[in-house]
Amino acid sequence: MIPTPVAALGLFGEAFQFVFQGQEAATGGVTVGGTGQVLDLAGKQLEVTLLALAVSIVLALPVGVFLGHHGKGEFVAVSAGNAGRAIPELALIALMAAAVGVGLFNLVVALAILGIPPILTNAFVGIRQVDRVSVEAARGMGMTDGEIIRKVELPLAVPTIMGGVRTSAINIIATATIAPLAGILTLGDFIISRNVYGDAGVLAGAILVALMALALELTLAGVQWKLTSPGLRIRRAE
Amino acid sequence: MSDPLAGPGWLLGAAAPSDFFRDRSDGGCIQENKLFCPDWAIDNIDRYTDPTLQHLVLVFSAVAAGFLIAFGLAVLAHRHRALSSPFLAATGVLYTIPSIAFFFLLLPITGRGALTAIIALTAFTLQIIFRNITTGLRNVPPEVTEAARGVGLTPKQILWRVEIPLAMPEIIAGLRVATVSTVALATLAVFANGGGLGAEIVSGSNITFKTGIIIAGSIAILMAITFDALLLLTGRLLAPWKRVEA
């Protein structure tokens, strides 16, 4: 049944076929995989990721920028980043599902817990790193605090802030892969429910998750490039 | 599980698996699956020894391998600046691919097991360590290397006796970030049959046993903190003239 060129690729060929044509479930009966289900689960993974990333940015960015601008709370802002890295993703998702409950809202909360620390820390550090001379000059020109943040500090802090957003995005999309444990079926379902999808499904899931994470990272790198003021782009290239 | 879209069926099993019922004196804490059952924890703490040791092996192997590879790459990139960008891009790709996906990309090559988990975790650490080593080497003031050249040191001696010691704070900072992240990520090794503390979180076919999740998660966090503190101390010993920043 498998065309020869595909069979020659071994498990990779089967994974390819799983994505585009689907196959019978290992448990028998129904057909699993195929573009329909793949797009469904990929869409879910993207939705969950973007939701959690948006929540993280909305909660962490203003706080980080505020603290950085006023030079307050350095210990909290920097410790948050360190502590966030130590949270075991699997335990977090499992505990959320077992103790609080499954479902989209709880999952997004859990993912945002992972997403907030890098954004908070980098926003603080990014704003703080801005040359005080530039800030003083802006103040001397009569800019208000709000104007200094928007016109001086934020543009200069874009690379650091976006670094935090990208770290956060990678953590979130990676952890969204185990979202099926919390009752939300993402591409990770292909990986986790091997008893249904078989090894071809597992490999297909792994390839799709990897491609999706890389695509997200490239997109955010593009966003960073767009947000960086042209003058700074040249300086960074030197 | 006839309907694959119904989700992982083992999620729906509410009770803890029978091998958890070793304790009978806690007034039904385990049977009711309360958030944390201290009596059970005290009676069963020995079951966490092996997973903890496996976890240590996973983390240590991955970070050690990651450090050796990243160190080699960084020294090469330091000598030949043109290599810096391609190395950064390649390690960036490895960093971006989620570890759990990486485990199964390796499936046709290394199968399932601890080795697969270690390879994927190593790949994850490369970028963090590589970045910090190259930054550290680049931040060595040119006057210092000039002076070293002036007193007759060869490029190799300058690297080992001047540049690397001066870059030590950044190198250690990178190791700390890589190690702490790897301790957390290694819980996922259970999906690759790699053992570790994750095996006590997704235990058998059950992830609803709260006390078990909390104990395994806490051990992982404690392990991360311990490694972090040890590396911080190492940094102070190796670079006593400078406080290490994370």
Side-chain angles (χ1 to χ4, degrees):
Chain A
M1 225 179 90
I2 302 169
T4 341
V6 176
L9 293 170
L11 195 53
F12 282 103
E14 287 175 43
F16 196 74
Q17 201 168 41
F18 177 89
V19 171
F20 291 101
Q21 294 168 17
Q23 65 178 34
E24 196 184 327
T27 41
V30 288
T31 301
V32 291
T35 42
Q37 195 188 5
V38 165
L39 289 177
D40 246 21
L41 297 188
K44 201 50 153 181
Q45 179 136 2
L46 191 62
E47 181 193 329
V48 166
T49 302
L50 294 181
L51 259 176
L53 187 62
V55 170
S56 306
I57 293 174
V58 166
L59 292 180
L61 191 58
V63 177
V65 169
F66 177 84
L67 293 177
H69 178 73
H70 293 287
K72 284 180 192 150
E74 173 162 9
F75 181 76
V76 175
V78 175
S79 309
N82 289 334
R85 270 193 291 276
I87 300 173
E89 295 82 350
L90 180 61
L92 177 69
I93 297 293
L95 192 65
M96 200 60 165
V100 185
V102 296
L104 186 67
F105 180 81
N106 291 339
L107 176 69
V108 169
V109 170
L111 293 176
I113 290 174
L114 292 173
I116 286 171
I119 298 178
L120 178 64
T121 305
N122 279 41
F124 177 88
V125 172
I127 296 287
R128 208 64 217 133
Q129 270 172 354
V130 171
D131 193 349
R132 288 298 106 186
V133 176
S134 314
V135 177
E136 287 307 313
R139 212 180 292 280
M141 286 168 64
M143 285 194 189
T144 63
D145 274 305
E147 283 172 328
I148 291 174
I149 293 177
R150 269 185 293 114
K151 295 184 179 167
V152 180
E153 292 179 328
L154 275 178
L156 288 168
V158 161
T160 311
I161 291 176
M162 281 305 294
V165 171
R166 286 160 72 176
T167 305
S168 185
I170 291 173
N171 284 351
I172 291 173
I173 199 165
T175 310
T177 308
I178 53 171
L181 300 181
I184 301 294
L185 296 189
T186 58
L187 286 172
D189 198 40
F190 290 146
I191 295 176
I192 293 169
S193 301
R194 181 191 175 210
N195 54 345
V196 177
Y197 303 107
D199 278 344
V202 169
L203 185 61
I207 294 170
L208 292 167
V209 167
L211 289 178
M212 203 161 180
L214 289 169
L216 180 65
E217 163 66 12
L218 279 179
T219 309
L220 289 175
V223 170
Q224 176 173 343
W225 176 255
K226 280 272 176 209
L227 289 177
T228 308
S229 84
L232 291 174
R233 283 182 209 159
I234 293 161
R235 208 178 69 189
R236 275 173 67 79
E238 272 169 8
Chain B
M1 263 196 67
S2 54
D3 178 10
L5 296 175
W10 33 271
L11 239 186
L12 308 170
S18 55
D19 69 309
F20 284 126
F21 291 90
R22 210 196 293 178
D23 167 78
R24 285 156 298 273
S25 59
D26 65 347
C29 184
I30 291 296
Q31 280 76 6
E32 288 169 32
N33 195 8
K34 289 185 181 157
L35 187 61
F36 188 68
C37 304
D39 293 336
W40 186 92
I42 293 164
D43 286 354
N44 293 275
I45 199 69
D46 52 322
R47 69 176 285 133
Y48 293 92
T49 314
D50 283 348
T52 305
L53 291 176
Q54 287 167 7
H55 209 86
L56 280 171
V57 170
L58 289 174
V59 172
F60 188 80
S61 317
V63 175
F67 179 73
L68 288 178
I69 297 170
F71 190 83
L73 294 177
V75 168
L76 263 178
H78 186 59
R79 210 169 288 160
H80 312 279
R81 286 291 158 94
L83 289 174
S84 193
S85 294
F87 284 173
L88 208 56
T91 55
V93 170
L94 296 178
Y95 173 80
T96 305
I97 295 176
S99 296
I100 189 164
F102 215 121
F103 294 154
F104 297 103
L105 291 175
L106 293 169
L107 183 73
I109 305 154
T110 54
R112 270 161 225 274
L115 179 67
T116 303
I118 290 169
I119 295 173
L121 293 172
T122 301
F124 165 82
T125 64
L126 289 178
Q127 164 123 86
I128 303 170
I129 305 175
F130 175 79
R131 256 209 181 141
N132 276 43
I133 300 179
T134 43
T135 311
L137 292 176
R138 204 169 296 159
N139 285 348
V140 173
E143 307 92 79
V144 176
T145 40
E146 283 303 315
R149 212 187 313 276
V151 298
L153 295 191
T154 65
K156 203 174 169 184
Q157 287 172 322
I158 294 176
L159 178 70
W160 286 99
R161 295 193 198 169
V162 178
E163 292 177 309
I164 289 173
L166 284 176
M168 202 52 83
E170 278 96 344
I171 296 177
I172 297 286
L175 269 177
R176 287 174 64 194
V177 174
T179 309
V180 171
S181 315
T182 306
V183 172
L185 269 182
T187 50
L188 296 171
V190 59
F191 292 110
N193 264 352
L197 287 165
E200 293 294 322
I201 295 170
V202 188
S203 192
S205 58
N206 194 297
I207 59 153
T208 60
F209 180 50
K210 294 170 200 162
T211 305
I213 299 170
I214 290 179
I215 298 175
S218 305
I219 296 175
I221 292 173
L222 275 178
M223 192 185 286
I225 294 173
T226 311
F227 271 126
D228 196 46
L230 286 176
L231 283 167
L232 183 80
L233 275 176
T234 314
R236 295 230 169 120
L237 289 175
L238 291 177
W241 64 91
K242 197 174 173 184
R243 288 276 168 125
V244 182
E245 285 154 28

